[in-house]
Structure formats: C-alpha cells, structure tokens
Amino acid sequence: MSVASPPRFAVGARKPPSAPRRPRGREVRRALTGWAFAGPATVVVIGLSIFPAIWAFFISRTKWNGVAPPRDLGWQNYQRLLDDPNAADAARQSLLLTVTFVPASIVIGLFVAVALNRKIRFIGFYRTCIFVPYVASAAATGILAGYVFSPQFGMVNEALRSLGLPTQGFLESPSQALLTIVVIALWGEIGFVAVIYLAALQDVPKELVEAAIVDGAGPWKVFRHVTLPQLRPVTVFATVWQTITALQLFDLIYTSTRGGPLNSTQTVVYYIYELAFQTRRLGYGAALAYLLFAVTLVLTVLVVWYGRRRGSEVF
C-alpha cells in the first residue's frame, strides 16, 4: 500500500491562499499599548541610570567642585589614581573584603539551603527567619551592629565576659573592624544565597539521586558527584552577584564605622563618597567610580567565562 503523495500544482495553477495579514493599524495599536506599559519604566531607567552614568564619564575628565565651572583635564584624573596611596589602600580593603565575604557567603548559604531542604516541622518558619535579614535595611543593620559589637556595652562582649573570655574591640579595633563588617554583611546576605540554592536543590532530578543511591553511593558522594554539578550554574550566578555586592558595599560601612578606625574599613566606594561629597572633588571621584566599574566588569566577565568553560551557562 503506497502513501499518497501531496498534490502538486501545475505551472500557472492558482496557489493556495496564504494566511491573512493583520491590518497595519492593529499592529500599531499593539506596539503603542506595549510602549504605554514599558515606556515609563524605560524613562526612569534612562533618567536615573544611563544618563547619569554617561554624564559622570564627562565629569571624570574635569576638575569640578559642583559650583564653579568645570575645567577639562583630559585623562589626568585617571593617571593620578595610579599614584594615589589612599586609593591603593581603599582597593586593598575592598579586595580583602571581597575575597573573605564571597566564598564564605557561598559556602554558608549552600549549607543553610541543604539544611532547609528537608521535610521537617515548621520548615516554612525557618526559611522565613533565614530570609528576613536580607530584606532588612542595610543602614538599620549597621546601626544595630554598632550596639551589638560595641566594646563597652555590646551584647557580644557581655557574652564573652560571662564566659570568662577577654573582650574584643570589634568595630573600634583597626585589626578587627573589617572582619566584623564581613560578619555583619554575611548575616544580611546569606538569606539570599540560601534561597536561590534552595530553589536549585528542589530542581535536581530525583532520578539521578536515586540511581546514585542504588549504585551504593553514600550521602556525601551523592552530594559531591550528583548534587554539586547540578548547582554549578547557580554557583556562578551567586558568585557574580556577591562579588558585585561586596565591591559596592557602602551603607553598612557608612552607618557602622564611617571608614574607620584609622581607615581600616575605607573601601573604594566609601572613598568615592569622601572624594565627591565631602572634599567636593567630583571629577576625581567620578574617575575612581569608573575605574571601579571597569574592575567589576572584568571580574564578572572572568567568572562567567570560567563558568561557561566548565559547562555552567547561566547568563
């Protein structure tokens, strides 16, 4: 039995009618309706993000205090940054903050997510408690941390005294202030990392886990060889996000230490604030801001490239 072939149309025969085209006016109305919804948000993004960024680039090439007419300097502000010891110290503090905060937030967030990915009583309440610090204001967190870690009457030192241990300087100690800032930032950011890992853990194929258990793999081997590879794209995203968060950390430092003591917590972002809004060196501060943007962009590209090389495409 042969299958009937589709009918062929002879030369000159009339072609089958095509689908009717939409009227031009309807397409215009659909486009106008879409822009009516997206237009206000687009204006806000351009007005509050793109335009200020472009304007800041032109400011970075000038000497301007915000009042007198700006004087064009070309690339001198960028050249001066290479010889600025304060900028070098701020970059060192930002680098130390980033390399301490990012791995700790990833590891602790993953551990918390695994702990919350269990069927136990009140699990919804525990998940809410973990996420609440993330939605809290960083400024309020910094003010609260000033009382908790106060060397004189802070709760942490009171606990140390009750245990017979020596009290610590914390935010008032040049050697401990930056580490204390990292601990406070972790308290506020772990909830975000835990939530995205928790969502990824629930999407891990159960067939892979069951197959590994049938093959005799224990809990640790299942987690290492099955679960972790499935979480690699989320790890790349979390690393990029937390790196940007660490490099742009400002409000927590502003409300807790103001860059002190002895500039031990003065990061690049806080130094930009001092240059632009305290000493009124707007051009020099804008140049440092653009340099920070370039460094952040390079680090993000490197992390994404490494993730794609390992087969973890997430962007």
Side-chain angles (χ1 to χ4, degrees):
M1 179 177 180
S2 61
V3 180
S5 60
R8 298 181 180 180
F9 295 94
V11 178
R14 181 177 297 178
K15 295 182 180 180
S18 57
R21 297 185 60 184
R22 293 179 178 177
R24 185 66 179 176
R26 183 180 300 179
E27 294 181 358
V28 173
R29 287 196 299 270
R30 288 173 61 89
L32 291 177
T33 303
W35 277 109
F37 286 99
T42 303
V43 172
V44 171
V45 170
I46 294 176
L48 299 181
S49 300
I50 299 178
F51 174 74
I54 297 175
W55 187 36
F57 174 74
F58 291 102
I59 294 176
S60 69
R61 293 170 50 86
T62 64
K63 181 179 181 181
W64 188 41
N65 61 1
V67 180
R71 183 165 61 90
D72 184 58
L73 297 178
W75 301 100
Q76 294 183 22
N77 284 331
Y78 293 91
Q79 295 173 355
R80 290 174 55 193
L81 285 172
L82 302 177
D83 300 325
D84 188 353
N86 293 326
D89 290 340
R92 191 178 304 109
Q93 305 298 338
S94 296
L95 180 61
L96 182 59
L97 174 66
T98 302
V99 300
T100 306
F101 168 77
V102 175
S105 64
I106 298 297
V107 173
I108 300 176
L110 177 58
F111 174 79
V112 172
V114 172
L116 295 178
N117 192 33
R118 298 175 181 273
K119 296 181 180 180
I120 56 178
R121 296 181 62 185
F122 307 113
I123 188 62
F125 172 75
Y126 299 145
R127 293 174 179 176
T128 303
C129 292
I130 289 296
F131 192 71
V132 163
Y134 176 74
V135 298
S137 170
T141 301
I143 296 174
L144 178 62
Y147 291 100
V148 174
F149 291 98
S150 173
Q152 290 78 25
F153 50 84
M155 295 174 56
V156 178
N157 271 335
E158 286 296 330
L160 293 176
R161 291 190 188 97
S162 63
L163 297 175
L165 299 175
T167 58
Q168 305 296 324
F170 295 121
L171 294 175
E172 296 184 7
S173 172
S175 61
Q176 299 178 1
L178 189 63
L179 182 60
T180 306
I181 291 292
V182 171
V183 173
I184 300 171
L186 286 173
W187 180 80
E189 292 290 333
I190 283 177
F192 172 76
V193 181
V195 165
I196 61 174
Y197 268 126
L198 182 61
L201 285 171
Q202 295 176 355
D203 288 337
V204 174
K206 296 182 179 180
E207 296 80 6
L208 297 178
V209 177
E210 294 173 354
I213 295 176
V214 171
D215 290 341
W220 168 246
K221 288 187 177 181
V222 171
F223 178 76
R224 180 181 178 185
H225 297 288
V226 177
T227 305
L228 276 183
Q230 296 293 321
L231 299 179
R232 193 172 293 152
V234 179
T235 302
V236 174
F237 169 77
T239 302
V240 172
W241 185 274
Q242 295 299 84
T243 300
I244 296 175
T245 300
L247 291 176
Q248 296 182 349
L249 188 64
F250 170 77
D251 40 11
L252 182 59
I253 296 176
Y254 179 81
T255 55
S256 58
T257 63
R258 300 292 179 93
L262 301 177
N263 292 335
S264 60
T265 60
Q266 181 176 335
T267 60
V268 173
V269 176
Y270 193 83
Y271 186 47
I272 292 172
Y273 163 76
E274 287 187 341
L275 289 174
F277 300 103
Q278 291 188 346
T279 62
R280 310 298 299 177
R281 300 163 65 186
L282 296 177
Y284 194 56
L288 182 56
Y290 256 89
L291 183 60
L292 176 62
F293 165 75
V295 172
T296 305
L297 180 63
V298 170
L299 290 178
T300 302
V301 170
L302 288 177
V303 173
V304 173
W305 170 79
Y306 177 77
R308 290 186 175 181
R309 187 180 179 185
R310 299 292 298 271
S312 306
E313 294 193 16
V314 68
F315 292 98

